[in-house]
Amino acid sequence: MLDKLIEDIKHCKELEQATNLLFKVYAPSEDLKRAVAFCTLAHEGQVRKSGEAYAVHPILVSALVAFLSSNEAMIIAALLHDVIEDTPYGEEELRKDFGYEVTRLVQGLTKITEIREDNFNSKVSKNLAKSALSFRNMLLASIEDVGVLVIKLCDRLHNMLTLGSLREDKCKRISEETLVVYAPIAHRLGISSIKNYLEDLSFKYLMPDEFKQINDYINSSDQYMQLSLNEFISKVELLFNKNGFRQGSFEIHKRIKHSYSVYLKMQRKGISIEEVLDLLGIRILVENTLDCYIALGILHTHFNPLVSRFKDYIALPKQNGYQTIHSTLFDTKNIIEAQIRTFDMHKIAEFGVAAHYKYKEGSAVATPKLDWISDLSMQNSSINANEGDYNAVELYEYAKDSLYIEDVAVYSPKGEIFTLPRGATVLDFAYEVHTKIGLHAKTAYVNRVKVPLLTELKNGDIVRIVTSNDKLYRCSWIDSVKTAKAKANIREFCKQKIKEVDLESAVNILAFVFNESHQTILKWIDDERLNKRIRQISIDGVYFKDVVNMLKKYAKKSYLFDKYELKEQKFGNIIILSNHKIANTGFDFCCRPKRGDGVVAFAEAGNAVLHHKICEKADKMLEEQKPMVFVEWNNDATQSYQIIFSLENKKGTLAEFLTTLSKMQGNVLSITLANAQNSSLDYFEAHIEFPDNAKIETIKERLKNRYKILDFTSLNDAYNGK
């Protein structure tokens, strides 16, 4: 049992003791003995913060790996996982002494290292960047071999078991990282035995008061709960023996819900620990799937089930391979959750993906799906740009939101099952079926009822997608879909579409400047060898001017004045760069771009009419080669806000507030006082301007932390030019 191994590991401080524990879990081969000796020699003289010899750590990590997996290469790689990073030995020595497979695993683990702090981008905190980069490297290493993740989880579990020797702030940082990334990865890999320990250990350091409250309750009620479970198990065993199950063909284990799971249920439902219905549980293991349903029938015949809490994960396995029937039962004294699964299903539930390495015999049970690794990898590729650590943080934040979400199972009209994260929409389903289905999805039917594409799906829904011949990009929907696959594909499709729009816009803009045909403009560009950077013309004003100056020699001459001179024309939030006089700017009603969105501008009757770059009407106008002008947002423009706030009616409080605003680059345009009678507070309404590049959310947060802010509303609207 893992519980016994964990207890032994907690008290293990000596090299000989650690080695004996490893050999107790896994019978030592000559290669394993050699690896232990190599590990001990390589880390000789190194000491952990807790005081024991460093080699104790990798030996105990390998004991945990050996508990999960009988793959010797993984066990040896766990022993050597810090050798390349922390000792003089390199990959060549490992390859020579332990072979290619061990070395490849160690290389993957070595990639998951802390990054030097002076490489971090200033936009993100160093601790967050460190966690994010470590996570991204772990993800990329696991694509080649998921065994890397299994070893890393065991490494993290041992670190969590020995966390007490570190500073409190470091304990909390490591615990948060464990709770939001490592425990969810264990969940996705189906390794519940490791996941539960990681969660409870993190919970202990992050929320010590809540942990103590739950722990104290469970400990104080332990005797009563154990006796209640023993009594219930005796009843069930007797019923099974009477109803055809032979002795030894089934096992019944008692279980008490682990601390963090209890806390989550209390928070989610707003209940006390006494109201948690599935605090007590039993787990019934039988020989085959049919026996699971026979066992369920026996339980439901003799105990009243709580129908709303029945779940059949055998018929509809979770994405991590978990297969179990859950049913909550009313006993005479208690409410008890019964879980029913086969022995093989139990292996998958406890060991997840590691069961593939531990148990070689074939079985009909589900295995964990690892699509989420490639999905997250796709998400990584789609957001990967110039600032590596900043984008790693974006991936990390995305993973925190998506890794631990429970799944829903939905069906195609043909009966195919698709597993999606809870909260997924119809459009997520379309992309899950195929990227082309997602891109061309026009309408949808759920359970034969026509619904919007952003309708949230529920367990058991039957979904039919109706497609269009046209590509439907829906770039503004990227935050509304749930899956990495949908997000990454929408982002990639829109990125490609914007490149096409920029290319066509560049030619249209130049054609309007010189009053020439598109064919002529393309020939001039070809003659000047500007083809590679042609898209830049529509997004970079300086480059646009340079290109116009280059192409003037081909254009019709004007001897009185330079009719191709580009002039900057400002209209509030908008800047137009053109040799044509623009009287005014406006936005069409087919699309409503927000400030900062990519926009294009068409010249119509002396005015510039703006559209979002991804706009169907604009797309048709581009195809028709309508005249266009260069447009960009005015970054020098200010942002106006109305702030309603209250201050204590004391001398100097308003002056202090205004000084704070001034330090935040706020310019007060007006302020009015509405004094409430019989009140010690004054209420103010202020109109304030901030520079366009001001971080408004940060300003809001800082003001709310210091003052009572009743309202903070933008008065800006890109459509009114103010």
Side-chain angles (χ1 to χ4, degrees):
M1 289 289 291
L2 182 61
D3 293 345
K4 175 68 170 65
L5 177 60
I6 293 290
E7 283 305 309
D8 290 343
I9 285 173
K10 281 181 184 176
H11 299 101
C12 188
K13 306 292 180 186
E14 303 295 331
L15 278 170
E16 186 179 354
Q17 192 183 5
T19 304
N20 289 338
L21 185 57
L22 168 60
F23 291 164
K24 185 179 174 183
V25 177
Y26 186 88
S29 66
E30 289 305 313
D31 285 343
L32 186 59
K33 289 178 183 175
R34 221 160 25 84
V36 170
F38 186 93
C39 169
T40 306
L41 177 65
H43 292 290
E44 191 174 15
Q46 295 178 353
V47 180
R48 297 192 88 206
K49 293 264 175 152
S50 51
E52 72 257 18
Y54 190 88
V56 169
H57 165 66
I59 293 171
L60 293 178
V61 170
S62 67
L64 287 166
V65 172
F67 176 81
L68 294 175
S69 167
S70 56
N71 182 295
E72 192 164 275
M74 283 174 60
I75 298 167
I76 293 174
L79 275 167
L80 307 176
H81 75 269
D82 283 331
V83 165
I84 294 175
E85 184 189 351
D86 293 337
T87 78
Y89 296 95
E91 292 174 15
E92 286 186 17
E93 287 97 332
L94 291 187
R95 194 176 289 108
K96 181 182 173 185
D97 290 345
F98 301 103
Y100 170 77
E101 191 178 353
V102 169
T103 307
R104 180 173 53 78
L105 285 165
V106 174
Q107 284 172 328
L109 289 158
T110 304
K111 290 175 187 173
I112 312 166
T113 55
E114 293 188 346
I115 314 300
R116 283 179 51 199
E117 293 188 356
D118 55 4
N119 288 337
F120 292 148
N121 188 310
S122 60
K123 291 183 183 177
V124 291
S125 75
K126 289 178 179 179
N127 284 340
L128 179 56
K130 188 179 289 186
S131 296
L133 284 163
S134 179
F135 169 72
R136 183 168 70 177
N137 289 345
M138 179 167 61
L139 170 66
L140 296 175
S142 69
I143 291 168
E144 189 173 344
D145 192 331
V146 75
V148 169
L149 283 182
V150 176
I151 299 169
K152 190 61 187 172
L153 288 172
C154 294
D155 177 40
R156 179 51 62 111
L157 176 55
H158 185 250
N159 283 333
M160 290 300 298
L161 290 168
T162 57
L163 210 55
S165 57
L166 301 181
R167 292 193 322 265
E168 184 182 352
D169 62 321
K170 198 163 185 182
C171 287
K172 287 194 171 181
R173 180 183 72 78
I174 293 170
S175 296
E176 182 184 4
E177 183 182 76
T178 301
L179 191 62
V180 299
V181 172
Y182 285 87
I185 284 174
H187 167 72
R188 281 289 181 183
L189 293 177
I191 312 175
S192 64
S193 52
I194 298 293
K195 181 207 74 151
N196 293 344
Y197 268 105
L198 291 175
E199 285 180 339
D200 281 355
L201 289 165
S202 302
F203 180 41
K204 176 183 171 184
Y205 287 103
L206 289 172
M207 290 169 272
D209 293 340
E210 291 86 345
F211 176 82
K212 184 176 184 302
Q213 177 199 354
I214 292 168
N215 214 40
D216 287 351
Y217 177 85
I218 290 173
N219 288 337
S220 65
S221 309
D222 184 63
Q223 188 180 55
Y224 169 76
M225 289 191 292
Q226 296 289 352
L227 289 172
S228 297
L229 284 172
N230 289 344
E231 185 181 338
F232 185 71
I233 287 171
S234 296
K235 290 181 191 176
V236 174
E237 284 179 337
L238 189 60
L239 287 169
F240 276 31
N241 288 327
K242 281 183 177 178
N243 286 275
F245 281 93
R246 69 182 188 282
Q247 198 71 34
S249 67
F250 67 93
E251 290 178 10
I252 303 178
H253 301 206
K254 55 190 172 186
R255 52 173 288 277
I256 296 171
K257 202 171 186 71
H258 72 104
S259 300
Y260 185 63
S261 184
V262 172
Y263 171 76
L264 285 182
K265 182 149 284 192
M266 289 166 63
Q267 293 299 306
R268 191 166 56 243
K269 300 203 169 187
I271 57 177
S272 67
I273 190 168
E274 291 85 358
E275 297 171 280
V276 176
L277 294 181
D278 55 351
L279 188 62
L280 300 180
I282 63 168
R283 184 171 291 137
I284 300 168
L285 308 182
V286 295
E287 291 181 332
N288 56 60
T289 304
L290 182 59
D291 284 348
C292 291
Y293 292 98
I294 294 171
L296 178 69
I298 294 169
L299 292 177
H300 281 194
T301 303
H302 294 87
F303 303 98
N304 291 328
L306 191 59
V307 178
S308 63
R309 296 180 54 81
F310 175 76
K311 296 184 182 75
D312 187 349
Y313 293 117
I314 293 179
L316 294 172
K318 290 188 179 184
Q319 191 147 2
N320 63 8
Y322 180 84
Q323 286 184 287
T324 300
I325 295 171
H326 290 210
S327 185
T328 302
L329 308 169
F330 288 98
D331 188 20
T332 50
K333 297 178 182 176
N334 299 291
I335 295 174
I336 293 174
E337 184 189 59
Q339 296 180 358
I340 309 167
R341 60 175 70 142
T342 68
F343 289 100
D344 282 340
M345 289 171 189
H346 183 62
K347 294 171 189 173
I348 294 294
E350 292 295 301
F351 300 105
V353 73
H356 167 72
Y357 301 103
K358 191 172 183 71
Y359 302 100
K360 297 297 183 183
E361 71 271 14
S363 71
V365 299
T367 54
K369 294 180 182 176
L370 302 178
D371 305 15
W372 59 273
I373 296 179
S374 54
D375 281 354
L376 281 175
S377 176
M378 184 186 296
Q379 183 74 4
N380 173 60
S381 301
S382 73
I383 64 177
N384 190 24
N386 298 322
E387 298 172 292
D389 52 313
Y390 186 68
N391 287 283
V393 168
E394 191 178 340
L395 175 69
Y396 182 61
E397 293 295 338
Y398 173 81
K400 281 165 62 176
D401 292 338
S402 65
L403 271 177
Y404 216 172
I405 294 169
E406 287 297 326
D407 302 322
V408 294
V410 297
Y411 299 87
S412 73
K414 293 181 179 179
E416 297 168 289
I417 299 176
F418 290 85
T419 306
L420 297 165
R422 193 170 295 281
T425 66
V426 172
L427 190 57
D428 286 300
F429 170 82
Y431 274 105
E432 193 68 24
V433 175
H434 197 282
T435 52
K436 286 185 179 177
I437 302 293
L439 183 59
H440 291 269
K442 183 182 178 183
T443 56
Y445 292 83
V446 173
N447 306 324
R448 298 185 179 181
V449 177
K450 190 174 182 180
V451 297
L453 288 170
L454 290 181
T455 299
E456 189 174 316
L457 294 171
K458 302 186 295 295
N459 254 326
D461 281 342
I462 301 170
V463 190
R464 179 167 72 89
I465 304 294
V466 179
T467 57
S468 162
N469 291 328
D470 299 325
K471 293 177 181 178
L472 304 167
Y473 292 95
R474 301 188 173 94
C475 300
S476 61
W477 292 19
I478 196 160
D479 293 325
S480 301
V481 293
K482 197 76 178 173
T483 62
K485 189 172 184 179
K487 285 179 183 288
N489 278 293
I490 290 173
R491 182 180 282 110
E492 190 57 35
F493 286 143
C494 292
K495 189 173 162 186
Q496 287 303 120
K497 180 61 180 174
I498 286 169
K499 283 182 180 179
E500 292 171 19
V501 170
D502 288 342
L503 181 62
E504 292 177 43
S505 298
V507 179
N508 280 8
I509 291 167
L510 290 173
F512 189 52
V513 168
F514 293 107
N515 194 25
E516 293 285 356
S517 69
H518 282 61
Q519 289 75 12
T520 302
I521 295 298
L522 288 169
K523 184 179 183 308
W524 293 356
I525 287 170
D526 192 47
D527 290 344
E528 289 293 319
R529 298 182 180 176
L530 299 173
N531 306 68
K532 288 184 179 178
R533 291 189 63 194
I534 188 170
R535 285 187 297 105
Q536 200 75 11
I537 292 165
S538 63
I539 55 177
D540 184 342
V542 175
Y543 185 63
F544 173 41
K545 288 179 182 178
D546 291 342
V547 170
V548 168
N549 287 330
M550 284 185 217
L551 300 183
K552 281 179 184 178
K553 61 188 174 190
Y554 299 103
K556 296 164 189 170
K557 300 294 184 288
S558 171
Y559 297 100
L560 296 175
F561 61 93
D562 183 359
K563 65 179 181 181
Y564 306 117
E565 182 187 357
L566 300 176
K567 292 180 181 176
E568 191 177 89
Q569 303 168 60
K570 291 187 179 181
F571 301 90
N573 293 310
I574 303 298
I575 295 176
I576 300 292
L577 198 57
S578 179
N579 59 329
H580 297 274
K581 174 66 178 170
I582 300 298
N584 207 347
T585 61
F587 290 80
D588 209 333
F589 295 102
C590 49
C591 57
R592 288 183 65 85
K594 303 185 296 295
R595 170 187 278 276
D597 284 350
V599 288
V600 290
F602 293 90
E604 295 180 10
N607 296 321
V609 180
L610 277 67
H611 294 260
H612 197 289
K613 282 186 178 179
I614 308 294
C615 167
E616 288 181 30
K617 185 174 177 181
D619 200 34
K620 288 174 184 172
M621 293 171 76
L622 275 168
E623 286 180 19
E624 293 167 5
Q625 301 180 352
K626 297 287 187 183
M628 295 178 69
V629 292
F630 179 93
V631 61
E632 64 183 1
W633 295 100
N634 183 2
N635 290 328
D636 295 330
T638 56
Q639 305 179 61
S640 299
Y641 291 86
Q642 174 184 275
I643 304 178
I644 299 174
F645 58 97
S646 65
L647 295 173
E648 194 176 353
N649 192 347
K650 279 173 56 179
K651 184 178 179 181
T653 53
L654 179 58
E656 181 196 334
F657 181 82
L658 295 176
T659 302
T660 302
L661 281 176
S662 177
K663 289 177 181 176
M664 296 175 178
Q665 298 179 286
N667 178 31
V668 180
L669 301 178
S670 67
I671 187 165
T672 54
L673 168 67
N675 183 245
Q677 290 186 345
N678 305 320
S679 172
S680 61
L681 296 176
D682 285 335
Y683 293 87
F684 298 88
E685 180 182 318
H687 286 191
I688 299 167
E689 280 185 346
F690 291 99
D692 192 63
N693 61 356
K695 296 179 179 176
I696 298 301
E697 290 305 316
T698 305
I699 291 170
K700 274 188 194 179
E701 200 61 38
R702 287 173 61 189
L703 287 176
K704 284 179 178 178
N705 287 339
R706 294 186 61 178
Y707 305 100
K708 187 171 183 179
I709 305 297
L710 305 176
D711 193 26
F712 195 123
T713 309
S714 172
L715 299 175
N716 281 82
D717 185 342
Y719 300 89
N720 64 22
K722 293 179 183 177

